[in-house]
Amino acid sequence: MFNNSPSADNEYIIAAISYFPFLSLFLIVKFWKKHYYVKYHAGHAIIIYTFSLVILLSYILFYTLLRNIVTDTFVLNAVWGLAFSAHLLINFIYIFYCSIQAYQGKYLVIPGVTKIFYTLFNR
């Protein structure tokens, strides 16, 4: 009597929600075999967040190295804060764009990320 499989509209909403942090890990496990569209976007979200985390950790490492070398810490703090804030803003805008594309039913092809997705998740 009840159909538990999500419609295309629900699948688009779930794929858009998969770009929220840490929710993509849950969704890729839940929809591993059932819905390729959700798995595609959740996998992209995981890869994008991993790249972002690596870049943020490199900012912190670079900052700690420069903090020991540079004597004028005001300029270093200002530049580091600007770079860190710009990265977070650009990442938020990009994730929001990816989420909108997922909601509209489009497969977003990001050259490096899509290739990594097919290597890791498409088995």
Side-chain angles (χ1 to χ4, degrees):
M1 181 171 198
F2 293 107
N3 187 3
N4 290 332
S5 63
S7 66
D9 291 337
N10 288 342
E11 196 171 346
Y12 296 158
I13 292 170
I14 294 169
I17 289 173
S18 73
Y19 284 98
F20 286 127
F22 303 112
L23 192 58
S24 55
L25 293 171
F26 169 72
L27 290 176
I28 202 158
V29 171
K30 183 166 173 52
F31 294 105
W32 182 257
K33 294 182 181 178
K34 293 180 185 177
H35 303 286
Y36 181 77
Y37 186 75
V38 176
K39 178 178 138 180
Y40 181 84
H41 284 285
H44 273 69
I46 290 170
I47 296 167
I48 290 169
Y49 281 122
T50 303
F51 282 158
S52 179
L53 181 65
V54 167
I55 291 171
L56 288 176
L57 290 176
S58 68
Y59 282 156
I60 293 170
L61 177 67
F62 190 62
Y63 174 75
T64 55
L65 291 175
L66 284 179
R67 184 120 170 125
N68 294 331
I69 298 170
V70 177
T71 57
D72 188 12
T73 58
F74 176 75
V75 174
L76 179 65
N77 288 340
V79 170
W80 184 80
L82 181 66
F84 193 79
S85 300
H87 173 81
L88 290 178
L89 179 64
I90 291 169
N91 192 33
F92 174 76
I93 291 170
Y94 187 69
I95 290 293
F96 185 70
Y97 171 75
C98 291
S99 180
I100 295 295
Q101 295 298 313
Y103 180 71
Q104 291 177 349
K106 298 178 182 175
Y107 282 94
L108 193 63
V109 177
I110 308 161
V113 174
T114 304
K115 188 170 185 166
I116 293 171
F117 168 78
Y118 286 126
T119 304
L120 295 176
F121 297 111
N122 202 14
R123 295 181 192 166

